[in-house]
């Protein structure tokens, strides 16, 4: 009886939403037969769901919580598995969502360390020494509605015992999320700072997707992973954990419509409210500005370095040297054959796993390689379109091979491949949207972070799409101006090689 009473009390603490007035679309597991279930990438809970629902139609996976919530609301999936802390907040913020009344199981929240890392035991001991009253106050602070108190303490302790690197999910409020001025906030973040002060170490946080947190930890890129991570037996096989709070697995589903509690809004009121939440509230426009600058930096540097690298490689291979051409063909085949996101992750988590190279630098390297392979092919195609007789005539007149190439062949080849070059620039700009996989806070990632805060999908996505369209138009305009300036028909007479001297 005592055990039953304790279990019931724990369920009340972990699952207060069971008494919410909001009515969920599904009331029991039988009604969920043949439905689609979703979870975050890296969350291994298929067996847990199948133990309750025998006939699952499909499991789907999402990179971020906002994406999964949008899929539930739009009907693309029927239920999303998450922990009680995140689910409660999502349901409270969105009237279209509700928490399924029956929890799937109980576990604990944890801070992840690499398997065999002895520091996890040291951190667990330090956490256990913290008074329970402080731990309870942290939980109330971050799961409560008062946003004014959700701030972090400064790292004002000496930090004599070094620095720890923490990979933190940036879109799982209230555990860890990106707040005002690009600052990581959340229960997990403050818990880590609390333990770090106890151990006198300083902390360096790197925000990223949840799936990237696990990859960064496994590759040794970081020392600790956090972001509403729930402890499972399977995860214990590959990770050590610091257990810091009880948790429950729950499902979030659609709520049944109740027009009596819904606030009717006009279209213009809805637009104004979306603009305020997306751009104005908490100065979120600064997140967009920061993301735009990161996207522009990655794009421009990749275009510049990729063009230079591709041109140099072409010059090396121009004479059809066997070794140079064989090596170049292999690397072009390798780079063009790999999906860019896979190339990014290989560079970040494998090749540069132990190197102090930022995600932005890795993104520039990856897109430089991709763009260079395209430039190499473009130049080769453009040069092949020029009649060989022109080069032969120039050489016959006594001009050098290099002079002939740069003054006769290349100016005529450029107009042949420049339209393709413009298309590749726009494609590269749009391709940078995947750099969030390696913890880069670009424009798309900032849109995800804002969606994670507002739980509103439409307006942030439209805003990101419009900004990409504007950036692409600006880059296209610049290249168009360059195309006009280098058009051979517009060249000045003194820049054109002549076969005879005109001053004799």
């Amino acid at each position: 009886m005592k055990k039953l009473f304790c279990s019931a009390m724990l369920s009340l603490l972990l699952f207060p939403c069971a008494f919410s007035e909001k009515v969920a679309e599904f009331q029991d597991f039988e009604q969920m037969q043949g439905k689609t279930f979703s979870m975050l990438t890296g969350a291994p809970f298929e067996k847990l769901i199948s133990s309750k629902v025998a006939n699952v139609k499909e499991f789907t996976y999402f990179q971020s919580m906002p994406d999964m919530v949008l899929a539930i609301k739009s009907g693309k999936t029927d239920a999303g598995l998450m922990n009680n802390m995140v689910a409660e907040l999502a349901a409270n913020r969105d009237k279209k969502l509700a928490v399924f009344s029956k929890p799937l199981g109980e576990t604990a929240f944890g801070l992840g360390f690499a398997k065999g890392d002895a520091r996890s035991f040291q951190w667990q001991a330090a956490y256990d020494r913290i008074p329970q009253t402080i731990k309870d106050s942290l939980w109330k602070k971050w799961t409560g509605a008062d946003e004014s108190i959700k701030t972090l303490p400064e790292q004002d302790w000496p930090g004599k015992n070094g620095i720890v690197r923490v990979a933190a999910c940036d879109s799982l409020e209230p555990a860890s999320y990106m707040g005002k001025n690009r600052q990581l906030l959340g229960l997990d973040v403050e818990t880590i700072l609390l333990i770090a002060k106890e151990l006198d170490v300083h902390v360096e946080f790197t925000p990223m997707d949840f799936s990237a947190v696990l990859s960064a930890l496994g590759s040794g890129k970081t020392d600790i992973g956090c972001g509403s991570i729930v402890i499972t037996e399977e995860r214990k096989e590959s990770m050590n954990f610091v257990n810091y709070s009880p948790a429950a697995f729950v499902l979030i589903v659609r709520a049944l419509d109740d027009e009596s509690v819904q606030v009717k809004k006009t279209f213009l009121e809805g637009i104004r409210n979306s603009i305020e939440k997306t751009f104005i509230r908490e100065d979120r426009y600064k997140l967009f500005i920061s993301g735009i600058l990161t996207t522009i930096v990655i794009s421009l540097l990749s275009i510049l370095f990729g063009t230079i690298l591709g041109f140099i490689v072409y010059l090396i291979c121009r004479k059809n040297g066997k070794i140079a051409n064989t090596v170049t063909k292999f690397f072009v085949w390798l780079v063009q054959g790999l999906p860019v996101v896979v190339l990014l992750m290989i560079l970040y988590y494998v090749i540069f796993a132990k190197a102090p190279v930022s995600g932005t630098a890795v993104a520039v390297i990856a897109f430089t390689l991709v763009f260079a392979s395209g430039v190499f092919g473009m130049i080769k195609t453009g040069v092949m379109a020029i009649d060989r007789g022109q080069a032969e005539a120039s050489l016959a007149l006594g001009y050098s091979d290099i002079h002939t190439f740069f003054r006769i062949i290349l100016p005529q080849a450029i107009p042949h491949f420049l339209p393709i070059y413009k298309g590749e620039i726009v494609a590269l700009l749009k391709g940078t949207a995947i750099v969030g996989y390696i913890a880069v806070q670009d424009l798309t990632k900032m849109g995800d972070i804002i969606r994670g805060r507002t739980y509103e999908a439409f307006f942030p996505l439209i805003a990101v799409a419009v900004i990409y369209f504007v950036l692409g138009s600006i880059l296209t305009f610049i290249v168009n101006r360059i195309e006009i300036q280098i058009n051979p028909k517009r060249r000045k007479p003194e820049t054109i090689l002549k076969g005879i001297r005109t001053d004799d």
Side-chain angles (χ1 to χ4, degrees):
M1 179 66 69
K2 182 178 179 180
K3 182 177 180 182
L4 181 62
F5 174 77
C6 291
S7 177
M9 290 302 296
L10 182 61
S11 296
L12 288 177
L13 290 172
L14 295 177
F15 205 60
C17 50
F19 300 94
S20 171
E21 295 181 359
K22 193 181 298 186
V23 179
E25 182 179 3
F26 307 107
Q27 300 301 314
D28 54 51
F29 288 116
E30 284 297 322
Q31 292 180 332
M32 305 190 80
Q33 298 291 329
K35 302 300 181 182
T36 299
F37 292 81
S38 300
M39 61 195 78
L40 292 180
T41 303
F45 302 123
E46 296 88 348
K47 289 184 179 180
L48 179 62
I49 295 174
S50 297
S51 67
K52 303 290 185 179
V53 182
N55 182 25
V56 175
K57 179 181 179 181
E58 183 184 8
F59 289 109
T60 58
Y61 306 88
F62 294 89
Q63 287 297 124
S64 67
M65 192 62 67
D67 292 334
M68 186 164 70
V69 169
L70 175 60
I72 295 170
K73 292 166 62 176
S74 63
K76 294 184 182 300
T77 186
D78 298 298
L81 185 143
M82 55 189 76
N83 61 65
N84 57 297
M85 179 166 49
V86 177
E88 189 69 22
L89 183 67
N92 287 335
R93 279 188 169 172
D94 198 318
K95 293 182 179 181
K96 295 182 180 180
L97 299 174
V99 180
F100 184 63
S101 60
K102 301 179 186 300
L104 295 176
E106 297 170 355
T107 178
F109 292 110
L111 307 175
F113 286 76
K115 188 67 175 178
D117 192 336
R119 289 176 297 180
S120 61
F121 304 107
Q122 181 188 21
W123 278 61
Q124 183 70 66
Y127 179 77
D128 293 340
R129 292 195 297 267
I130 297 171
Q132 187 61 42
T133 53
I134 295 179
K135 299 174 185 176
D136 293 340
S137 66
L138 286 185
W139 181 273
K140 292 178 181 178
K141 170 183 175 179
W142 292 105
T143 58
D146 189 353
E147 295 294 326
S148 64
I149 64 173
K150 295 183 178 181
T151 58
L152 295 176
E154 295 291 335
Q155 296 191 49
D156 54 2
W157 50 92
K160 296 180 180 178
N161 295 321
I163 298 174
V164 293
R165 302 162 301 164
V166 178
C169 182
D170 52 20
S171 58
L172 281 174
E173 189 180 2
S176 64
Y177 61 98
M178 190 72 72
K180 189 176 181 180
N181 297 325
R182 296 188 65 186
Q183 182 187 23
L184 271 171
L185 300 174
L187 175 62
D188 284 20
V189 177
E190 187 163 3
T191 299
I192 288 174
L193 291 176
L194 201 66
I195 301 173
K197 184 175 182 179
E198 181 78 13
L199 296 175
D200 196 18
V201 297
H202 280 165
V203 184
E204 291 181 355
F205 291 99
T206 302
M208 58 185 71
D209 284 333
F210 181 79
S211 58
V213 169
L214 303 181
S215 299
L217 188 61
S219 66
K221 199 76 176 177
T222 57
D223 304 304
I224 303 173
C226 75
S228 191
I229 300 177
V230 289
I231 302 172
T232 66
E233 292 301 322
E234 185 174 2
R235 284 178 173 170
K236 285 181 181 180
E237 295 175 3
S238 56
M239 301 170 66
N240 287 0
F241 287 99
V242 172
N243 183 331
Y244 71 88
S245 179
F249 295 116
V250 299
L251 294 171
I252 194 162
V253 297
R254 289 177 291 275
L256 295 177
D257 292 334
D258 185 358
E259 295 184 357
S260 63
V261 299
Q262 290 182 0
V263 179
K264 300 285 186 178
K265 291 183 179 180
T266 66
F267 176 77
L268 290 179
E269 287 175 341
I271 292 295
R272 283 196 294 267
N273 184 56
S274 296
I275 291 175
E276 192 274 333
K277 287 197 298 182
T278 302
F279 296 105
I280 309 302
R281 192 178 300 177
E282 297 182 350
D283 294 335
R284 286 173 185 155
Y285 69 91
K286 294 181 179 179
L287 294 179
F288 276 113
I289 293 174
S290 176
I292 290 170
L293 292 177
T294 300
T295 295
I296 291 175
V297 167
I298 293 174
S299 299
L300 292 183
L301 290 180
S302 299
I303 292 168
L304 175 62
F305 296 149
T307 301
I308 295 173
L309 178 60
F311 186 69
I312 291 174
V313 171
Y314 175 78
L315 290 180
I316 294 173
C317 299
R318 193 166 64 92
K319 292 300 182 180
N320 293 322
K322 186 175 181 180
I323 296 177
N325 275 273
T326 301
V327 173
T328 300
K329 286 181 180 179
F330 172 75
F331 279 103
V332 169
W333 168 79
L334 186 64
V335 171
Q336 292 183 342
L338 278 175
V340 181
V341 65
V342 176
L343 177 62
L344 276 170
M345 298 181 75
I346 289 175
L347 289 173
Y348 189 72
Y349 294 116
V350 180
I351 297 177
F352 295 110
K354 303 297 182 181
V357 181
S358 68
T360 300
V362 171
V364 170
I365 293 171
F367 282 100
T368 293
L369 294 174
V370 172
F371 199 72
S373 66
V375 169
F376 172 79
M378 282 184 269
I379 297 176
K380 189 174 181 180
T381 301
V383 170
M384 290 175 63
I386 308 304
D387 192 282
R388 289 179 56 87
Q390 297 198 43
E392 294 171 356
S394 179
L395 294 173
L397 290 171
Y399 292 103
S400 67
D401 178 66
I402 294 296
H403 218 165
T404 298
F405 176 75
F406 281 97
R407 299 295 295 276
I408 297 293
I409 305 302
L410 186 60
Q412 296 181 80
I414 289 176
H416 287 279
F417 66 77
L418 203 56
I420 305 174
Y421 185 81
K422 288 189 294 185
E424 288 295 320
I425 286 178
V426 176
L428 184 141
L429 174 67
K430 294 185 291 185
T432 60
I434 62 173
V435 296
Y437 280 87
I438 58 170
V440 177
Q441 308 296 311
D442 71 316
L443 174 58
T444 301
K445 184 60 182 175
M446 289 307 182
D448 290 341
I449 290 170
I450 291 172
R451 288 192 293 132
R453 296 284 284 130
T454 63
Y455 279 91
E456 180 176 312
F458 176 78
F459 203 84
L461 286 175
I462 293 300
V464 169
V466 170
I467 294 171
Y468 270 115
F469 179 80
V470 172
L471 292 178
S473 299
I474 292 173
L475 285 176
T476 302
F477 173 79
I478 293 172
V479 178
N480 283 336
R481 298 304 301 175
I482 296 174
E483 183 179 15
I484 292 174
Q485 294 301 318
I486 65 175
N487 190 324
K489 296 180 180 179
R490 298 172 63 95
R491 292 167 65 192
K492 296 180 180 180
E494 58 267 23
T495 65
I496 303 174
L497 280 177
K498 298 179 175 60
I500 58 173
R501 293 177 62 88
T502 59
D503 57 351
D504 288 344

